[in-house]
């Protein structure tokens, strides 16, 4: 889509040629390993892009932590980069998405440690953190009715077990001092506006909030977190807004200075990163491309957001309960539609692990460098050479690897499974429950790898072309 609109250099793409004056919008995306910012015009054309790495700590097995101050600083760096050379007074709005990590602040909004070392810089329990295994087992043993909306079994990656872990393990240094527990997207919108309202997307998908009924007091009391009920959920959010709603009076003067933007511009209630990707591709305009999915309902599409992990987003007009698949969540991604979310934990990281841990990796890296290619581009070209006349998948026809090295998220919801292709299992589970899926739409870092996209098409029943059907089409974005 960028094509002649942009040119890239030094990690940032800036407008090329003369641009007509108009309105601009800035989007900030916080992933697992980096923060990205994009500048788009009123037509949605990408004009500039920048990224910045962020820090991550792993003090012990299954503990993964980050710093909210480090992440905000990275947001400021990339935002300032993408608005270089434009009239910032033409910027009409700012939006954030981020991973569903847990941010902990005290009553004065200062970082609190989520670790035994007492390091308050590390005040985020990351989404992929699995420290709360004991706590999530106890939560699932309650068989409380709220679990029906998370596939029947709560994931250790959700917020309730992590909160319970903090109460039971860091009572004095963290829990008793805490004034605010934010999902990372909501922390960013608070940092930009000073408004503590939470996004419906965050609370519904990761915190057991119901768009129709609100919080369920009996659940929090049953699992031992009655503290939240006592103060009317002030610490985790008692004002909830739909994604995209304008927050407060817009960007505060302090945040505006940090970001290099004008004070007062509109700031939207945020989305979880995968849900922002799902929103972006599931409504894609496919007219005029000769694709089989043209004219089919949006509910026949499955968005696969594939980066460090993979998330499988399907929507429906009526609620569909899929065992082992999260949801149904009302209006959490697309207004007025119910969302089901399957997933595979650390998909992209597993590919990196398998490739970089191989004995031949140094040789591979040297050969790729000699050709000025990434290791994955080199591997893909090598596979093309050795596959002969048959599809590349036949090279491993007798080799089967279970991909769940970090537990299975969907459709088995079993965090003990360790390393069948998970996407096909998820699709089959969703269809068995009532979804009718004919099209896969992929976005995220892994969608840039043609082999990754091709394997999805092959394994789910496609006809062997990169942007062709699984009884519809796999659309690469």
């Amino acid at each position: 889509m960028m094509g002649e609109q942009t040119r890239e250099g030094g990690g940032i793409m800036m407008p090329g040629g003369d641009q007509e004056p108009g309105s601009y919008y800035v989007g900030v995306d916080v992933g697992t390993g980096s923060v990205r910012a994009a500048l788009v015009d009123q037509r949605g054309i990408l004009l500039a892009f920048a990224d910045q790495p962020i820090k991550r700590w792993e003090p012990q097995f299954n503990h993964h932590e980050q710093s909210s101050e480090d992440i905000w600083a990275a947001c400021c760096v990339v935002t300032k980069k993408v608005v270089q050379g434009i009239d910032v007074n033409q910027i009409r709005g700012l939006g954030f998405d981020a991973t569903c990590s847990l941010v902990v602040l005290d009553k004065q909004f200062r970082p609190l440690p989520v670790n035994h070392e007492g390091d308050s810089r590390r005040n985020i329990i990351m989404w992929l953190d699995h420290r709360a295994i004991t706590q999530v087992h106890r939560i699932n043993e309650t068989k409380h009715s709220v679990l029906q909306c998370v596939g029947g079994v709560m994931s250790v990656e959700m917020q309730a077990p992590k909160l319970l872990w903090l109460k039971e393990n860091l009572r004095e240094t963290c829990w008793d001092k805490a004034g605010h527990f934010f999902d990372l997207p909501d922390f960013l919108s608070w940092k930009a506006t000073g408004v503590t309202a939470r996004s419906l997307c965050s609370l519904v998908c990761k915190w057991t909030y119901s768009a129709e009924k609100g919080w369920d007091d009996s659940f929090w009391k049953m699992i031992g977190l009655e503290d939240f009920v006592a103060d009317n959920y002030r610490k985790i959010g008692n004002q909830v807004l739909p994604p995209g709603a304008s927050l407060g009076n817009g960007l505060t003067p302090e945040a505006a200075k940090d970001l290099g933007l004008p004070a007062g511009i509109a700031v939207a209630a945020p989305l979880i990163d995968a849900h922002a990707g799902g929103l972006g591709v599931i409504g894609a305009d496919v007219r005029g491309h000769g694709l089989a999915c043209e004219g089919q309902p949006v509910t026949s599409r499955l968005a696969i957001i594939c980066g460090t992990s993979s998330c499988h987003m399907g929507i429906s007009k009526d609620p569909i309960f899929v065992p082992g698949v999260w949801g149904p969540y009302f209006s959490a991604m697309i207004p007025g539609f119910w969302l089901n979310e399957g997933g595979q934990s650390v998909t992209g990281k597993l590919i990196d692990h398998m490739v970089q841990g191989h004995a031949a990796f140094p040789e591979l890296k040297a050969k790729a460098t000699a050709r000025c290619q990434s290791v994955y581009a080199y591997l893909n070209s090598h596979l093309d050479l050795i596959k002969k006349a048959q599809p590349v998948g036949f090279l491993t026809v007798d080799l089967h690897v279970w991909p769940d090295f970090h537990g299975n998220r969907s459709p088995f919801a079993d965090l003990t499974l360790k390393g069948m292709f998970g996407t096909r299992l998820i699709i089959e589970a969703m269809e068995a429950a009532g979804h009718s899926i004919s099209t896969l739409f992929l976005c995220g870092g892994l969608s840039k790898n043609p082999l990754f996209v091709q394997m999805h098409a092959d394994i789910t029943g496609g006809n062997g072309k990169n942007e062709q059907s699984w009884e519809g089409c796999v659309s690469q974005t």
Side-chain angles (χ1 to χ4, degrees):
M1 182 167 64
M2 296 177 294
E4 298 177 357
Q5 302 284 341
T6 61
R7 52 188 172 83
E8 184 171 7
I12 179 169
M13 287 182 283
M14 292 301 296
D18 296 330
Q19 296 289 326
E20 293 183 4
S23 300
Y24 300 106
Y25 301 87
V26 176
V28 179
D29 166 47
V30 179
T32 301
S34 65
V35 175
R36 284 82 65 168
L39 178 74
V40 300
D41 65 13
Q42 65 268 34
R43 298 168 296 168
I45 301 297
L46 179 62
L47 301 177
F49 170 85
D51 61 358
Q52 177 80 5
I54 49 179
K55 296 175 184 176
R56 175 174 155 187
W57 291 268
E58 188 178 355
Q60 62 190 86
F61 180 66
N62 272 340
H63 289 230
H64 299 270
E65 299 165 6
Q66 287 182 315
S67 162
S68 63
E69 292 182 345
D70 175 61
I71 288 174
W72 178 251
C75 291
C76 297
V77 169
V78 294
T79 302
K80 287 177 178 177
K81 284 183 177 180
V82 297
V83 300
Q84 289 175 7
I86 69 163
D87 179 1
V88 294
N89 293 309
Q90 296 297 110
I91 296 173
R92 299 289 179 252
L94 170 67
F96 294 94
D97 72 67
T99 62
C100 49
S101 299
L102 177 64
V103 184
V104 186
L105 305 177
D106 68 12
K107 296 174 179 63
Q108 288 74 44
F109 295 94
R110 297 173 301 199
L112 284 172
V114 295
N115 48 78
H116 292 292
E117 295 80 13
D119 185 350
S120 60
R121 292 176 305 157
R122 293 151 41 198
N123 67 317
I124 297 178
I125 299 180
M126 291 182 67
W127 64 269
L128 53 74
D129 188 289
H130 280 197
R131 70 182 66 185
I133 291 174
T134 300
Q135 288 74 20
V136 80
H137 282 324
R138 296 207 309 268
I139 290 171
N140 286 325
E141 285 172 357
T142 68
K143 300 189 183 301
H144 194 280
S145 59
V146 301
L147 301 179
Q148 294 175 7
C149 286
V150 292
V153 180
M154 180 169 286
S155 167
V156 69
E157 295 176 2
M158 291 186 172
Q159 307 300 17
K162 293 174 181 175
L163 291 163
L164 188 56
W165 187 93
L166 288 172
K167 182 176 182 179
E168 294 177 350
N169 291 272
L170 299 177
R171 185 74 183 242
E172 293 183 4
T173 58
C174 180
W175 184 261
D176 288 343
K177 296 179 180 179
H180 309 274
F181 298 99
F182 285 104
D183 222 66
L184 182 53
D186 295 317
F187 164 81
L188 295 171
S189 62
W190 163 75
K191 191 73 174 175
T193 66
V195 176
T196 60
R198 306 314 204 264
S199 169
L200 184 70
C201 176
S202 302
L203 292 195
V204 167
C205 296
K206 305 300 173 185
W207 296 72
T208 75
Y209 186 86
S210 167
E212 299 173 305
K213 301 176 183 178
W215 295 113
D216 189 317
D217 293 353
S218 65
F219 169 72
W220 297 100
K221 291 176 180 178
M222 185 177 288
I223 68 171
L225 292 177
E226 62 283 346
D227 320 46
F228 296 139
V229 181
D231 76 348
N232 193 32
Y233 301 97
R234 180 182 55 82
K235 292 182 180 180
I236 61 174
N238 53 20
Q239 181 185 3
V240 186
L241 297 174
S246 184
L247 290 167
N249 296 317
L251 198 62
T252 65
E254 181 181 3
K257 182 179 179 181
D258 288 347
L259 294 164
L261 300 175
I265 65 170
V267 178
L271 286 159
I272 299 169
D273 58 346
H275 299 65
L279 176 64
V281 298
I282 209 165
D285 185 355
V286 298
R287 293 174 295 180
H289 296 283
L291 297 175
C293 56
E294 184 174 345
Q296 296 181 357
V298 70
T299 52
S300 70
R301 301 179 176 187
L302 184 73
I304 304 180
I305 297 83
C306 39
T308 303
S309 282
S310 293
C311 296
H312 302 68
M313 309 289 203
I315 59 173
S316 57
K317 292 183 177 179
D318 298 306
I320 297 176
F321 293 85
V322 186
V325 174
W326 299 341
Y329 302 134
F330 185 66
S331 288
M333 186 174 79
I334 308 293
F337 284 85
W338 294 85
L339 169 68
N340 284 106
E341 178 187 352
Q344 297 167 276
S345 193
V346 295
T347 318
K349 294 298 290 184
L350 173 58
I351 295 173
D352 289 341
H353 171 74
M354 297 294 288
V355 172
Q356 296 172 11
H358 196 280
F361 180 69
E363 178 185 358
L364 165 66
K365 190 174 182 181
K367 289 183 175 180
T369 301
R371 290 194 185 181
C372 298
Q373 290 182 305
S374 71
V375 293
Y376 295 105
Y378 182 89
L379 280 175
N380 289 354
S381 62
H382 181 68
L383 289 171
D384 283 337
L385 287 175
I386 66 175
K387 71 179 184 180
K388 300 179 181 178
Q390 59 188 0
V392 68
F394 281 90
L395 291 172
T396 56
V397 67
D398 296 316
L399 177 65
H400 304 278
V401 178
W402 186 273
D404 295 311
F405 279 38
H406 201 54
N408 177 273
R409 186 184 296 173
S410 303
F412 302 119
D414 186 344
L415 59 85
T416 66
L417 288 179
K418 301 289 193 290
M420 181 160 13
F421 200 88
T423 291
R424 182 162 181 166
L425 289 174
I426 292 167
I427 292 171
E428 289 172 352
M430 292 178 72
E431 293 214 306
H435 281 276
S436 180
I437 297 165
S438 62
T439 314
L440 309 184
F441 284 75
L442 276 68
C443 71
L446 286 175
S447 69
K448 298 174 185 176
N449 187 323
L451 178 61
F452 185 85
V453 177
Q454 184 64 60
M455 295 307 294
H456 273 76
D458 292 346
I459 292 167
T460 57
N463 62 9
K465 293 185 180 179
N466 214 23
E467 295 187 353
Q468 291 300 317
S469 73
W470 173 74
E471 197 181 287
C473 59
V474 175
S475 186
Q476 185 176 357
T477 304

